Every structure is written in structure tokens, then in C-alpha cells.
Amino acid sequence: MKIFIKYMVSLRCKMLVRDTLDLLKIKYFSIELGLVETVKDLSEHQMVKLAEILKKSGLIILDDKRSILIEKIKNVIVEMIHYTDEPPTQNFSDYLSKKLGYDYTYLANAFSEVKGITIQHFIILHKVEKVKELLLYDELNLSEISYRLNYSSVAHLSTQFKKITGLTPSFYKKLGQKRKKNLEDF
């Protein structure tokens, strides 16, 4: 049985879902971002109990097809940006279409209707979050970050970053270093 879970977007969420399934003695094949595959179908009582426990942690079991599709789109994007170190070999629209088995126009229209933003804007927001993370880790320079996240240039990355955050990547990095130093001095 496939169970789709909204807001399950991190490794911590996966661990929480795993612990909940174990607590309820529900056997499963796999736990992915936004998806759990159980060995057998759950009873109505098991589904209610699972939903109750997950809801306390902010996770919601999805049951309508459109919501499930939107959650799949979000999870593919999050996984592609946050959990892959290799730059994509194809553009996001082709990747999403291939991965989810739908025409990109259909995916984009459904996403925009439900979320109120475009898939492209959602991707940009997550890329900027990843840039912030990589800047604070201070392991890669802007050229390497630009390459890893498939930006056409450092200037393009910087423009998007400033448009979303109001700061240049360099200034953001300096702020992070200043905070880190203040914490060390504390």
C-alpha cells in the first residue's frame, strides 16, 4: 500500500515516520520523501491512528490525487536540489516529466493552481536555500556552487540570490561568518 505524506521533506521526517510505523507495528517496504510503502494494506483503524500521530508532528496523510501529485512534485524538487551533489544533466522540466510520468505543462498548471506559485519559482526558492547552506558551510566558492546547482553563471546565481534574500551572496556569507565568530566569542 502506498501512503503519501504531506510536509515529509527531510531525513528527520523520514525517521519520525519510521519510528511511528515501528511503534504501530506496521511493516513497510520503503520510506521515501513523501511516500511510505507498506507490506500490506492498513485497516481503517491503523490509518486513523497513523494520521493522528503524524499530525502531531505536522505531517498529513494525503488522500486526493491532485494533492498527492503536488506533493510528489515538491519532493522530487527537494530531493534533486538538497540531496544530490551532482549537477543535473537535464533541465528541471524534462526531469520532472520523466520522473513523474506527466507532461510538464500539466504538472506546471496543477502546481500553480494549488500552490499559488510556479514550479520554477519553487525551484528558485529551494536553490537559494541550498546556496545559503553551502555558503555557511564555507566549503565551496561561488563558482563551484553555481556549477553544482546548474546556474548558467555566478552572476545569474547572484542575481537570483539577491532578488530572493535582498542580500548578495558575499554579504550573506560575511554575516554568517560574523555570527559564527560572535557565537565562538560568547
Side-chain angles (χ1 to χ4, degrees):
M1 174 179 198
K2 290 185 179 183
I3 303 170
F4 295 92
I5 303 172
K6 188 173 185 175
Y7 306 124
M8 186 178 164
V9 294
S10 69
L11 297 176
R12 278 196 182 131
C13 292
K14 285 173 68 172
M15 291 178 358
L16 176 88
V17 170
R18 184 199 62 218
D19 292 345
T20 303
L21 293 170
D22 291 343
L23 175 74
L24 297 173
K25 295 180 176 35
I26 297 172
K27 295 185 179 179
Y28 53 89
F29 288 118
S30 67
I31 301 174
E32 301 298 324
L33 293 179
L35 173 66
V36 171
E37 287 192 77
T38 60
V39 173
K40 56 185 179 177
D41 289 350
L42 303 186
S43 68
E44 189 174 330
H45 174 73
Q46 287 175 308
M47 280 298 285
V48 168
K49 195 70 180 158
L50 180 62
E52 282 175 7
I53 294 171
L54 293 179
K55 190 173 183 178
K56 289 177 184 174
S57 299
L59 302 176
I60 298 169
I61 294 178
L62 299 173
D63 55 5
D64 72 277
K65 291 184 183 207
R66 193 173 191 122
S67 295
I68 290 169
L69 179 61
I70 301 311
E71 204 60 27
K72 283 182 180 180
I73 293 168
K74 288 170 37 182
N75 289 332
V76 167
I77 292 167
V78 167
E79 190 173 295
M80 180 175 49
I81 293 171
H82 294 281
Y83 300 109
T84 305
D85 288 337
E86 295 298 315
T89 56
Q90 62 192 111
N91 66 35
F92 288 116
S93 58
D94 291 341
Y95 182 79
L96 282 169
S97 291
K98 185 177 177 186
K99 185 92 171 165
L100 298 173
Y102 289 95
D103 176 69
Y104 181 75
T105 304
Y106 173 75
L107 295 173
N109 288 337
F111 191 89
S112 294
E113 285 175 22
V114 172
K115 298 302 293 174
I117 63 170
T118 64
I119 287 177
Q120 191 60 38
H121 190 67
F122 186 80
I123 289 169
I124 290 167
L125 292 172
H126 278 274
K127 285 174 80 172
V128 167
E129 285 304 310
K130 184 66 175 181
V131 171
K132 288 178 182 179
E133 177 185 318
L134 293 171
L135 286 171
L136 293 177
Y137 282 143
D138 202 25
E139 295 173 0
L140 303 173
N141 64 37
L142 275 178
S143 294
E144 293 165 326
I145 293 171
S146 174
Y147 174 76
R148 180 179 282 184
L149 293 175
N150 204 30
Y151 279 98
S152 58
S153 66
V154 172
H156 184 219
L157 179 155
S158 297
T159 301
Q160 274 191 352
F161 191 91
K162 184 163 185 174
K163 188 175 182 180
I164 299 298
T165 66
L167 306 170
T168 65
S170 303
F171 188 74
Y172 182 84
K173 186 174 183 172
K174 285 177 189 170
L175 280 177
Q177 290 169 339
K178 191 174 182 178
R179 282 188 196 132
K180 192 185 281 186
K181 183 173 178 1
N182 287 342
L183 287 173
E184 289 170 359
D185 293 344
F186 185 67

